[in-house]
Amino acid sequence: MDTLMLSRIQFGANISFHILFPTITIALGWVLLFFKLRFNATGDGKWMEAYRFWVKVFALSFAMGVVSGITMSFQFGTNWPGFMETVGNIAGPLLAYEVLTAFFLEAVFLGIMLFGFSRVPSWLHTTATFLVAFGTTMSAFWIIVLNSWMHTPQGYEMRDGVAFATDWMAIIFNPSMPYRFTHMLLASGLTVAFLVAGFSAFRWLLGDRSDGVRVTLKTGVYLGALLIPLQILMGDLHGLNTLEHQPQKVAAMEGNWETGPNVPLLLFALPDEEARENRFEVGIPNGASLILKHKAEGVVPGLNDFVTEDGEVSHPPVAPVFWSFRIMVGTGFAMLFLSWSAAFLMLRKGRGPDGLPKLMTLAMVPMAFSGWVATLAGWYTTEIGRQPWLVQGVMTTEMAVADVPAPFVAITLTTYLAIYALLLAAYVGVLFYLARKAAHGDVPRRRTPQSGEAITRTVPAE
Amino acid sequence: MELFGDPAQWLPFTFAALMGVSILVYVVLDGFDLGVGVLFPFASDDEKDMMVASIGPFWDANETWLVLAIGLLLVAFPSAHGTILTALYLPVAIMLIGLILRGVAFEFRVKAPTPHKATWNWLFFAGSLMTSLAQGFMLGKYVMGLESTLGTWVFAMITAVFLTVAYSFIGACWLILKTEYTLQSKAVDWAKGGIWGLVLGLGAVSLATPLVSTRIFDKWFTFPEIILLAPMPILSGLLVWLLWRSLQRLPNATDAGARTPFLYAIALFVLAFGGLAYSFYPYVVPEKLTIYEAASAPESLFIILVGTVFVLPMIAGYTALAYTIFKGKAAELRYD
Ligand code: HDD
Ligand code: HEM
Ligand code: HEM
C-alpha cells in the first residue's frame, strides 16, 4: 500500500479511537452535574453513589480521550502537512480557540472535580463539575466547526492556492455546523444514556437492588427515550441539509445511480461500482423521494451525475457510505424500540426497574455500546461521503498527504492498531470489573498511611 | 493592528515568543511529572502510590501545554510544522505512544483488578521513559538542524539520555517538595545522583550547538556579545552549586528548604532554554526557515492573538487555583 492509503487508514483509525471517548465524556459530564445537583438538592446518598461510580468511568474515558487527542493533533503535521499549508489560516485559529477555551479549562478543573471533593467547598466542586462539562462541550463545538467547514466551506478566498479568511462569522456558522453540532451532541447524550442504562442493567442482573443502581437505570432509560426521537428528527434535517450542499453524498447514502423521481428507499442492496448498479435490491417504493423531497415524484440526485465525460468519478465510494448509513439508522431505531418499551414498562403502575422483564434488562447490556456503533457509523457516512475531497471543492485528500516513506507509516499504523485493540479491551474489561465490584458492594480500600498534615486535610473515612 | 508597526514583523515574533513560553512551561511542568514516572522502578509499591498522588491532579493540565505549543507551531508557522514533524516522524510516534501508555496507566493502575496493577505500573514507567527519551532525541536532532547522519544520530541519542536525566532530576526535586519520610530522603538521593547528568547534558548541548553552526558560534563568541552573555553560563554554574548545597541540607526535621531545589531546578531549566532560544532565533527550522518566512497570514494570527490575550491570564489564574488547592504534601488520591 502507498503512503496515502496507509495515512488514510491511520487517520481513520486514530480518529475513530479518539471519538469513542469524547462521545462519552461530553454528555457524561452533564449527567454527573445532574447527579451532583440532585444530591445538593435532596441530600439523598443514592445520588452521590451514582456520582461516585460514574465519575470513575468519566476519569478513565477522559484519560483515553486526552491521550488519543494528543495523537490527533500531531497527525496533521506528521501525515497531512498539506492540510495546514493550504487551509491553515482557517483551521489554525479554530484549533487554537479549542485549546485556549476548552482544553485548559477541562484539564485544570478535572483535577479539582476528581480529587477536590473533600478539599474545596461543595459549591466549588459543583462549579468544577460544571466547568469540565462545559469545557468538553466547547471542545466539541470548535472541532465540529472546523469539520463542518471542511464539508461546507465559506467565508474564505483562495490566493495562490492558499485559503485566506474573509468572514469569520461565515466560517464559524457555516451551513452544516448547526446540524452537525446538534446531531453530535445528541449522539453523545444517547451514547451515555445507553451506557448508563446498560451497566446499571448489568448490575441489576447480578442482583444489585441498591437505590444507586435504580436511579441510574431510570436516568439512562428516560434520557435515551427522550433524546432518540429528537435525534431521528435532527438526522432527517441533517440529511436534507446535506442534500443541498453535498448531493453526491446523499446519492451514495441512498444507493441511487440515476437522477429521477419515484426513487425507492433501499433496505438492502449490494452497490456494485464496476457495473454501476445495485444487486439484490429490496426497497420501499418512492421511499427516498418521500423522505428527501416529501412527495413521491420528488427528484433525487443520482451518482451518475458525478462522473465526467471521460469517465472520471468524483463521487465517494458507494458501498461503505451506503452501509454505514444503514447501520447508524438501524441502531437508532433499535434504540427507539428499546428505550420506549423500557420506559413504558417502568412507568406502567409506577413499578420502576422492577417492572422490567429479565429479557429486556439482558438486552440492555449489549446495547450499552450501541451509541459507539451508531456514532462511528455516522462519522464514516460523513467522512467517506466527502471523499475524494478533504475540504469540499477546495482540496482533495491526496493533496494533503506527507511524503513520509510508506514503511514508516506502516510501522506506526500497526503499532497504533495493536495498542488501540489492547486499550479498548482493557477499557471495556475495567468497566465490567467496576460494575461487578459495585454490584457486590465496594469493599473499602486499604488506606496508605499518611502524615499528620495530610490527615487533617482529608475528611473522615467512608 | 498597524498600531505597533509592521504586523508582518511583530506578529511572527510574538508568536515565536508565545510558542517558546509554552514549550518552556511544558518542559518544566510535564518534565517533573514525566521524571516522577521515570523514577518509578526505584520506589516501593506504597511509594509508587504516593508518587502518582503527587502528580495526579496536575498531569493532564501539564500535558495541555504540549498541545498548545504544537498548536501554536501548527497555526503560526504551518510550513515549519510540516517540515519539522515529518522529519521527526518516528520519534514523534514513539513519544505519542509513550504518552498514551502513561496517560491511561494513571487511571488503569487503580481501576483495573489488583493483580494487573503491577503491569500498569510498569507501563506507566515505560511510557514515561519512552516519552522523555523521544523528546530528548528530537531536541538533539533539532539542534543538529534536523540532518540525518550517523553523527547527528549519536548526538541525539546522547541528548535523549540527558534530557531523561534532567526530567528525573526535576521530578526528584518535585518529590522532595511533595513527600515525607523515606520517600523524601530517597528523592534527595535521586536528585543528588541526577545533578551530574544534568551538568553533563547542559555542557554537551552548549558545546555542540556553536560547533555545528558557525552562525550560532558568532552569536555567542564575538565582541561584545561574549561579555553581555557571560552572565548566563556563570549564573548556571552558580545555580548548580546552590542546588547542590540545598540538597545537602535535606531532609531535615522541620522540612526547611524543601521547596528550594525545585525552584532552583526551574531556574536552571529557564536559563538553558533561554540560551537555546537565543541561539536559534530567528530560525524556526534551524538554518532553513526563519519565523518571518514561515508565518501564517497576519489576519489569522491577529485573531488568535486577541483570544490569547484574554484567555492566557484566565488559564494562569485557574492553574494557580489548582496548585493552591492541592498545595502541601501529597495525600492519597480519593474521589470523595
Ligand atoms: C447515537 C448516535 C446516532 C444515531 C442514533 C443517529 N445518528 Fe446520524 N450521525 C451520528 C450519530 C447518530 C454522528 C456520529 O454524530 C454523525 C456523524 C457526523 C455528524 O454530524 O453526526 C451522524 C451523521 C448523520 C448524517 C450525515 C450528514 C452528513 O455527513 O452530512 C445523516 C444524514 C444522519 N446522521 C442522519 C441520521 C438519521 C436519519 C438517524 C435516524 C435514526 C440518525 N442519523 C441516527
Ligand atoms: C470525530 C469523528 C470523526 C471520524 C470518526 C472521522 C473518520 C474519518 C475517516 C474514517 C476518514 C477516512 C475516510 C476515507 O478516506 O476512507 C476520515 C478522513 C479524514 N478526516 Fe475525519 N473523522 C472525524 C472527524 C474529523 C475531524 C473533526 C476532522 C478535522 C478537523 C477530520 C479530518 C479528516 C481528514 C484530514 C481526513 C483525511 C484522511 C482521509 O480522507 O482519508 N475528521 N475521517
Ligand atoms: C482531528 C480532529 C481532532 C483533534 C486534532 C483533536 C484533538 C484533541 C486533543 C489534543 C485533546 C486532548 C485535550 C487535553 O489535553 O485535555 C482532545 C480531547 C477532546 N476532544 Fe478531540 N480532537 C479531534 C476530534 C474531536 C472530535 C470530532 C470531537 C467531538 C465531537 C472531539 C472532542 C474532544 C473532547 C470533548 C475532548 C476532551 C477530552 C475527552 O473528553 O476525552 N475531538 N482532542
Side-chain angles (χ1 to χ4, degrees):
Chain A
M1 268 193 269
D2 60 351
T3 305
L4 174 64
M5 202 55 216
L6 288 165
S7 300
R8 287 172 70 173
I9 299 175
Q10 176 164 313
F11 191 93
N14 281 342
I15 184 83
S16 305
F17 184 73
H18 178 59
I19 193 70
L20 297 178
F21 304 102
T23 313
I24 290 178
T25 54
I26 294 167
L28 191 52
W30 295 106
V31 170
L32 286 172
L33 181 65
F34 169 74
F35 290 158
K36 181 80 206 285
L37 288 174
R38 292 307 298 154
F39 173 71
N40 289 352
T42 61
D44 191 334
K46 68 182 180 194
W47 294 108
M48 212 52 219
E49 215 184 295
Y51 185 95
R52 274 203 210 112
F53 179 82
W54 286 99
V55 81
K56 289 184 193 146
V57 177
F58 184 87
L60 187 61
S61 314
F62 200 95
M64 301 277 274
V66 168
V67 295
S68 53
I70 293 176
T71 315
M72 291 302 314
S73 44
F74 277 86
Q75 294 253 315
F76 286 122
T78 50
N79 298 79
W80 307 104
F83 178 69
M84 274 295 155
E85 278 160 29
T86 312
V87 298
N89 288 326
I90 288 145
L94 297 177
L95 288 170
Y97 270 86
E98 180 177 13
V99 179
L100 290 171
T101 62
F103 288 166
F104 275 108
L105 194 70
E106 56 198 18
V108 172
F109 283 100
L110 182 72
I112 302 176
M113 168 181 166
L114 293 183
F115 307 119
F117 187 77
S118 53
R119 286 176 180 245
V120 298
S122 181
W123 65 266
L124 183 53
H125 182 257
T126 311
T127 312
T129 310
F130 166 75
L131 287 172
V132 171
F134 178 74
T136 52
T137 311
M138 286 300 282
S139 305
F141 174 76
W142 288 114
I143 199 79
I144 294 283
V145 166
L146 171 55
N147 182 266
S148 297
W149 183 83
M150 291 163 65
H151 287 271
T152 50
Q154 64 172 31
Y156 69 102
E157 65 184 22
M158 299 299 288
R159 278 184 243 147
D160 303 326
V162 174
F164 286 82
T166 52
D167 181 352
W168 280 102
M169 280 300 142
I171 291 172
I172 295 177
F173 297 97
N174 64 73
S176 63
M177 189 281 281
Y179 299 96
R180 195 165 277 115
F181 182 54
T182 320
H183 200 58
M184 178 68 216
L185 289 188
L186 288 169
S188 173
L190 284 163
T191 306
V192 168
F194 282 86
L195 188 76
V196 171
F199 276 89
S200 310
F202 178 66
R203 284 169 62 176
W204 187 265
L205 288 169
L206 292 180
D208 187 349
R209 296 287 181 275
S210 63
D211 284 346
V213 77
R214 281 169 193 276
V215 76
T216 49
L217 186 59
K218 281 199 258 177
T219 309
V221 169
Y222 292 147
L223 185 63
L226 182 75
L227 295 184
I228 187 67
L230 297 176
Q231 179 70 323
I232 293 176
L233 178 71
M234 204 54 224
D236 183 43
L237 295 175
H238 196 354
L240 293 178
N241 182 67
T242 307
L243 178 64
E244 192 177 325
H245 297 279
Q246 296 172 307
Q248 76 281 21
K249 189 192 280 181
V250 173
M253 274 156 41
E254 300 298 345
N256 184 34
W257 297 93
E258 277 303 333
T259 305
N262 303 91
V263 175
L265 176 67
L266 299 181
L267 300 178
F268 185 92
L270 294 179
D272 181 345
E273 265 190 71
E274 294 291 308
R276 304 198 67 76
E277 62 179 26
N278 295 328
R279 285 184 285 139
F280 310 110
E281 262 188 27
V282 183
I284 303 171
N286 300 338
S289 292
L290 278 170
I291 291 177
L292 293 166
K293 297 287 177 168
H294 302 291
K295 53 177 187 272
E297 54 284 3
V299 175
V300 174
L303 291 158
N304 289 341
D305 287 4
F306 302 92
V307 181
T308 54
E309 303 277 286
D310 43 356
E312 206 188 319
V313 175
S314 66
H315 64 70
V318 184
V321 178
F322 180 85
W323 276 109
S324 46
F325 182 65
R326 267 150 197 74
I327 293 174
M328 167 178 63
V329 175
T331 316
F333 280 97
M335 288 174 159
L336 180 72
F337 175 74
L338 182 65
S339 61
W340 278 34
S341 42
F344 173 76
L345 290 173
M346 290 204 305
L347 287 171
R348 199 181 55 170
K349 301 188 203 135
R351 292 183 61 205
D354 294 303
L356 294 174
K358 184 156 182 203
L359 207 61
M360 187 164 277
T361 13
L362 215 55
M364 283 182 190
V365 179
M367 282 295 276
F369 297 103
S370 57
W372 275 4
V373 174
T375 303
L376 284 182
W379 275 106
Y380 286 169
T381 314
T382 300
E383 298 287 313
I384 300 175
R386 185 187 54 206
Q387 303 302 320
W389 296 109
L390 181 52
V391 179
Q392 182 79 35
V394 176
M395 70 185 301
T396 59
T397 308
E398 202 179 347
M399 289 161 65
V401 74
D403 60 355
V404 182
F408 278 23
V409 189
I411 293 172
T412 53
L413 173 61
T414 330
T415 322
Y416 284 131
L417 287 178
I419 291 182
Y420 290 162
L422 287 175
L423 289 184
L424 210 55
Y427 177 86
V428 174
V430 165
L431 250 48
F432 278 105
Y433 170 74
L434 289 175
R436 236 179 297 132
K437 213 166 74 164
H440 297 140
D442 211 344
V443 206
R445 273 192 297 142
R446 191 174 56 88
R447 317 278 308 268
T448 322
Q450 292 169 343
S451 72
E453 195 196 357
I455 284 171
T456 53
R457 267 181 295 95
T458 36
V459 159
E462 290 156 298
Chain B
M1 56 179 149
E2 303 294 333
L3 208 59
F4 310 101
D6 181 7
Q9 286 298 316
W10 65 265
L11 269 173
F13 181 80
T14 312
F15 272 86
L18 277 174
M19 195 173 85
V21 169
S22 35
I23 297 179
L24 176 61
V25 175
Y26 171 75
V27 167
V28 168
L29 293 183
D30 216 27
F32 79 68
D33 70 47
L34 284 168
V36 169
V38 173
L39 293 168
F40 236 45
F42 303 111
S44 72
D45 279 348
D46 279 345
E47 288 168 351
K48 287 186 176 120
D49 288 342
M50 210 34 105
M51 285 161 80
V52 170
S54 79
I55 53 180
F58 309 112
W59 73 273
D60 188 3
N62 292 350
E63 242 169 65
T64 308
W65 289 95
L66 177 66
V67 181
L68 179 64
I70 200 69
L72 285 172
L73 177 63
L74 178 111
V75 304
F77 310 106
S79 47
H81 174 257
T83 316
I84 295 175
L85 288 185
T86 44
L88 298 174
Y89 189 85
L90 288 182
V92 166
I94 293 176
M95 173 184 81
L96 292 173
I97 290 164
L99 286 173
I100 293 177
L101 292 179
R102 77 186 291 275
V104 299
F106 266 104
E107 295 295 331
F108 277 121
R109 59 186 290 288
V110 285
K111 297 196 172 64
T114 322
H116 298 178
K117 188 167 177 179
T119 314
W120 289 111
N121 276 343
W122 188 83
L123 285 172
F124 183 69
F125 159 71
S128 308
L129 185 68
M130 277 166 80
T131 309
S132 315
L133 287 174
Q135 287 180 356
F137 187 87
M138 290 191 266
L139 173 69
K141 282 286 269 234
Y142 185 80
V143 166
M144 290 288 159
L146 299 174
E147 300 288 340
S148 265
T149 63
L150 184 66
T152 61
W153 246 85
V154 172
F155 180 75
M157 295 298 243
I158 296 173
T159 48
V161 173
F162 284 132
L163 190 73
T164 309
V165 174
Y167 281 176
S168 357
F169 174 77
I170 197 168
C173 293
W174 170 257
L175 289 174
I176 296 176
L177 157 67
K178 295 297 277 188
T179 63
E180 298 153 286
Y181 313 128
T182 16
L183 180 53
Q184 192 189 34
S185 31
K186 273 192 180 177
V188 173
D189 292 339
W190 295 333
K192 282 180 187 161
I195 203 165
W196 301 115
L198 192 67
V199 171
L200 283 174
L202 279 177
V205 176
S206 318
L207 284 179
T209 356
L211 289 183
V212 256
S213 155
T214 44
R215 187 185 59 80
I216 295 178
F217 187 90
D218 293 342
K219 264 184 119 169
W220 285 86
F221 299 105
T222 44
F223 204 75
E225 278 82 357
I226 190 159
I227 307 275
L228 294 174
L229 291 169
M232 279 183 86
I234 296 176
L235 211 55
S236 306
L238 188 70
L239 275 171
V240 171
W241 181 71
L242 284 170
L243 257 171
W244 181 248
R245 282 237 336 229
S246 67
L247 288 174
Q248 296 300 330
R249 299 211 181 93
L250 283 162
N252 58 50
T254 56
D255 215 29
R259 73 179 67 173
T260 341
F262 187 61
L263 295 178
Y264 286 146
I266 294 180
L268 207 56
F269 271 53
V270 174
L271 264 184
F273 190 84
L276 271 182
Y278 172 76
S279 296
F280 286 107
Y281 178 82
Y283 286 94
V284 55
V285 180
E287 319 299 327
K288 291 201 188 85
L289 201 61
T290 67
I291 55 174
Y292 303 102
E293 293 157 355
S296 341
E299 299 88 331
S300 291
L301 288 182
F302 197 70
I303 287 276
I304 306 175
L305 188 62
V306 174
T308 314
V309 167
F310 280 101
V311 179
L312 220 48
M314 282 164 67
I315 295 177
Y318 53 69
T319 305
L321 174 71
Y323 277 86
T324 320
I325 291 173
F326 296 102
K327 74 170 190 292
K329 298 294 178 187
E332 191 198 6
L333 286 184
R334 297 165 55 78
Y335 285 160
D336 41 17

